[in-house]
């Protein structure tokens, strides 16, 4: 049975922060650190009436309308987020509460709903569970909805500030999918780490440099585990390699390590030996630090070779184009990378049917997961329906004072009275708090 992603919709926060133009001068940083060092240009941020519920519900509503779905067609709804505001009531019931304002009260009453947490990897985990639920044949012919929704804000002045973002991705999981079939083999790399956490706080506590190392270590373990299950990964085995993209240059770091792994003990390693030497092997060194330094130097040199650059431009660069304009959407980030890859192919008339994607997800704390996906026949039709580029073009361009002001409303613990900068238009909006402290929503 083929099971996978049948439809995707994306909802971006309606505000835009120009990173090199507006943020860099205020932080006293070189704009090129953002554009060249991190690979970022713009962040999507939520307006005062937006939050994880409105963005998730708006993405889900678009998806349901476009796919002509009734609530009764869906009997499993998982919302992945690391920006939740309640330790008991799940975001999923807030979102179905919104959707029932359109479809009618009680229409989702037989859907199994939950909220998923594992930093940025939890939407991938929810997709995996939804696929297995269908493969097990206990879905009674119904489909699953996986929604990732996050507002990724850091403390003002934090090194993570230029990587911020906000948005939601809604994914419909079913048999005989239109977009991608998800293969069964999965590789994992997990460890107890403290690279990024939110110990009952709105803003994260981050060791950014460490999080890069942990990301790459777990991704390597996941790749090795994947190969044990699915066979060796080769450089030409995948049309695109999509990674969790907290900032675009992170994907390049993952890509060069992945490429190094695929050429080890191959003719390509031999061919490159005259130019950059061979990949250092740990067994050849008595001093581990020296091995690490030489491996790092080899990897840096490999990243400058023509063969890597050509591969990167074709296989990875299309996956990071959207992330440069959206910023980090935490749980949605790897799913935006998939959209970016397919959208680029659709716009440029590239044929992708039956080709494979390698998908590498990561969540701090920490776990990486790698699997492959086969692109389905109707992928192009699904991409033609997306309006993400229009949404990004229509965002309100914040000046720095507006940026500082609108941030206040997105720290759930603060009482802030901030006016929206955009006019809601056929969308769910946050409308205040109820008597039990619950958040209240309307369709505007
Ligand atoms: N022109 C071009 N490149 C520049 C530059 C300039 N003027 N100034 C710096 N750079 C480069 C640096 O060399 C570095 O590149 P490298 O990683 O290839 O070495 C890159 O820009 C970032 O600079 P750095 O000084 O390391 O940035 P930082 O200390 O401000 O922090 C992060 C960067 C990613 C650690 C920070 O944004 C962060 O904490 N992000 C949130 C956590 C995160 O996303 N983790 C990722 C794994 S989940």
């Amino acid at each position: 049975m083929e099971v996978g992603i049948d439809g995707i919709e994306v909802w971006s926060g309606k505000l835009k922060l120009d990173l090199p133009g507006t943020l860099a001068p205020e932080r006293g940083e070189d704009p090129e650190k953002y554009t060249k060092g991190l690979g970022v240009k713009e962040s999507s941020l939520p307006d005062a009436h937006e939050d994880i519920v409105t963005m998730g519900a708006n993405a889900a509503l678009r998806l349901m309308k476009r796919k002509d779905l009734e609530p009764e067609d869906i009997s499993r709804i998982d919302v992945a987020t690391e920006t939740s505001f309640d330790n008991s009531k799940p975001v999923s019931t807030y979102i179905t509460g919104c959707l029932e304002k359109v479809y009618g009260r009680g229409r989702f009453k037989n859907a199994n709903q939950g909220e998923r947490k594992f930093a940025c990897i939890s939407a991938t985990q929810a997709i995996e569970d939804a696929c297995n639920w269908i493969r097990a044949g206990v879905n009674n012919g119904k489909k699953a909805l996986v929604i990732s929704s996050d507002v990724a804000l850091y403390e003002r002045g934090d090194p993570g500030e230029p990587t911020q973002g906000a948005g939601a991705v809604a994914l419909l999981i079913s048999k005989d999918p239109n977009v991608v079939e998800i293969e069964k083999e999965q590789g994992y790399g997990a460890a107890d780490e403290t690279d990024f956490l939110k110990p009952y706080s709105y803003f994260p506590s981050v060791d950014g440099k460490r999080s890069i190392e942990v990301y790459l270590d777990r991704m390597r373990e996941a790749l090795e585990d994947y190969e044990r299950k699915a066979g060796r990964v080769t450089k030409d085995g995948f049309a695109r390699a999509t990674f969790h993209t907290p900032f675009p240059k992170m994907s390049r770091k993952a890509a060069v390590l992945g490429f190094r792994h695929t050429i080890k003990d191959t003719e390509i390693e031999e061919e490159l030996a005259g130019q950059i030497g061979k990949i250092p092997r740990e067994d050849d060194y008595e001093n581990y630090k020296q091995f690490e330094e030489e491996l790092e130097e080899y990897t840096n040199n490999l990243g400058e070779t023509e063969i890597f650059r050509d591969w990167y431009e074709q296989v990875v660069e299309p996956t990071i184009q959207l992330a440069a304009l959206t910023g980090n959407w935490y749980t949605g980030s790897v799913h935006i990378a998939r959209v970016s890859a397919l959208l680029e192919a659709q716009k440029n008339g590239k044929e992708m049917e039956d080709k494979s994607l390698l998908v590498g997800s990561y969540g701090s704390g920490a776990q990486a997961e790698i699997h492959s996906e086969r692109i389905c026949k109707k992928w192009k039709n699904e991409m033609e329906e997306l309006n993400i580029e229009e949404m990004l073009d229509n965002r309100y361009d914040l000046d720095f004072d507006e940026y500082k002001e609108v941030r206040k409303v997105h720290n759930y613990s603060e009482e802030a009275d901030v006016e929206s900068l955009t006019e809601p238009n056929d969308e769910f909006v946050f409308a205040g708090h109820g008597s039990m402290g619950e958040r209240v929503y309307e369709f505007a």
Side-chain angles (χ1 to χ4, degrees):
M1 191 200 309
E2 289 183 9
V3 179
I5 301 172
D6 187 52
I8 305 177
E9 275 296 343
V10 185
W11 188 275
S12 163
K14 296 180 90 172
L15 308 179
K16 172 179 86 176
L17 183 63
D18 178 335
L19 299 167
T22 304
L23 187 64
E26 296 289 343
R27 283 175 56 102
E29 290 184 310
D30 180 355
E32 292 207 339
K33 173 178 171 183
Y34 296 4
T35 52
K36 295 195 172 146
L38 297 169
V40 294
K41 293 182 197 139
E42 296 163 0
S43 280
S44 283
L45 295 175
D47 204 343
H49 61 268
E50 294 187 290
D51 67 9
I52 53 169
V53 172
T54 65
M55 294 189 300
N58 286 322
L61 182 63
R62 270 190 65 88
L63 184 61
M64 288 185 65
K65 287 201 163 157
R66 179 161 76 69
K67 302 291 284 184
D68 212 8
L69 292 166
E70 295 297 323
E72 291 75 15
D73 297 326
I74 298 162
S75 79
R76 184 184 170 103
I77 301 170
D78 280 312
V79 180
T81 185
E82 50 187 305
T83 339
S84 197
F85 48 80
D86 193 306
N87 285 324
S88 179
K89 181 174 162 58
V91 181
S92 50
T93 55
Y94 273 110
I95 288 182
T96 49
C98 285
L99 294 172
E100 287 187 352
K101 289 184 197 304
V102 174
Y103 287 99
R105 188 152 174 80
R107 297 285 304 277
F108 284 96
K109 69 177 178 212
N110 296 128
N112 185 10
Q113 307 185 29
E115 182 178 313
R116 298 286 301 227
K117 180 179 76 178
F118 193 149
C120 300
I121 201 175
S122 56
T124 298
Q125 293 178 316
I127 292 171
E128 178 185 325
D129 286 353
C131 287
N132 287 333
W133 170 72
I134 296 170
R135 288 184 190 118
V138 291
N139 59 320
N140 291 313
K142 310 277 177 161
K143 300 166 196 281
L145 202 52
V146 173
I147 301 165
S148 74
S149 192
D150 272 301
V151 175
L153 286 177
Y154 292 78
E155 292 267 23
R156 275 269 20 256
D158 187 281
E161 195 176 16
T163 71
Q164 294 175 143
V169 183
L171 303 121
L172 185 67
I173 311 299
S174 76
K175 75 176 176 68
D176 302 328
N178 276 357
V179 186
V180 288
E181 178 197 354
I182 297 182
E183 312 279 358
K184 283 185 191 153
E185 294 81 9
Q186 275 142 347
Y188 301 103
D192 176 10
E193 294 282 0
T194 52
D195 53 328
F196 175 114
L197 49 155
K198 293 168 113 184
Y200 290 118
S201 58
Y202 182 72
F203 293 114
S205 168
V206 196
D207 184 342
K209 295 278 174 354
R210 173 104 191 98
S211 74
I212 293 173
E213 282 170 25
V214 177
Y215 174 124
L216 295 173
D217 283 348
R218 302 290 81 77
M219 205 63 96
R220 176 180 45 75
E221 290 166 359
L223 183 60
E224 288 164 357
D225 191 41
Y226 174 76
E227 286 187 321
R228 276 191 288 276
K229 294 162 180 166
R232 185 150 188 199
V233 170
T234 61
K235 118 183 184 342
D236 299 318
F238 295 90
R240 302 286 181 273
T242 62
F243 298 103
H244 169 54
T245 315
F247 54 94
K249 277 294 163 75
M250 187 70 230
S251 289
R252 191 184 182 282
K253 288 177 197 290
V256 70
L257 287 202
F259 189 82
R260 188 186 76 200
H261 181 85
T262 63
I263 64 164
K264 196 171 181 184
D265 296 320
T266 67
E267 279 176 13
I268 300 171
E269 185 187 9
E270 293 298 333
E271 281 165 24
L272 288 174
Q275 199 182 332
I276 57 170
K278 290 186 71 171
I279 302 171
R281 267 68 168 173
E282 190 181 340
D283 289 350
D284 297 338
Y285 293 81
E286 280 178 17
N287 181 329
Y288 187 74
K289 199 168 174 337
Q290 192 192 351
F291 160 67
E292 275 194 320
E293 282 167 6
E294 296 203 11
L295 189 60
E296 190 181 334
E297 191 186 333
Y298 178 90
T299 309
N300 290 339
N301 292 337
L302 179 64
E304 299 306 319
T305 59
E306 201 179 327
I307 187 168
F308 171 76
R309 283 165 173 263
D310 288 349
W311 175 84
Y312 179 81
E313 201 171 303
Q314 190 189 329
V315 176
V316 182
E317 206 280 331
T319 76
I320 59 173
Q321 292 175 1
L322 279 181
L325 304 176
T326 61
N328 187 2
W329 290 12
Y330 286 164
T331 52
S333 148
V334 67
H335 307 293
I336 283 292
R338 183 195 291 101
V339 170
S340 183
L342 295 179
L343 209 52
E344 189 275 341
Q346 180 252 323
K347 283 196 309 190
N348 293 300
K350 297 177 184 168
E351 197 35 76
M352 298 292 276
E353 186 185 341
D354 263 338
K355 294 194 173 162
S356 292
L357 298 178
L358 189 76
V359 180
S361 304
Y362 172 73
S364 289
Q367 182 168 304
E369 186 265 6
I370 287 187
H371 68 262
S372 82
E373 300 178 355
R374 189 186 59 79
I375 300 168
C376 300
K377 196 170 176 185
K378 293 190 179 152
W379 71 275
K380 217 182 286 175
N381 310 42
E382 294 291 327
M383 289 304 114
E384 279 163 5
E385 298 289 337
L386 285 181
N387 72 338
I388 176 63
E389 288 177 313
E390 194 186 319
M391 279 203 89
L392 296 178
D393 286 347
N394 289 341
R395 289 172 301 179
Y396 177 93
D397 192 2
L398 292 164
D399 67 29
F400 193 68
D401 287 337
E402 289 166 336
Y403 161 66
K404 282 193 298 187
E405 189 64 11
V406 80
R407 283 176 60 92
K408 291 181 186 162
V409 86
H410 295 297
N411 178 349
Y412 299 126
S413 65
E414 258 185 67
E415 285 299 321
D417 188 15
V418 178
E419 291 284 311
S420 283
L421 293 157
T422 61
E423 191 67 37
N425 179 17
D426 267 351
E427 65 191 73
F428 296 107
V429 296
F430 170 65
H433 289 91
S435 59
M436 290 185 70
E438 77 275 24
R439 292 172 75 83
V440 176
Y441 297 91
E442 285 169 3
F443 190 74

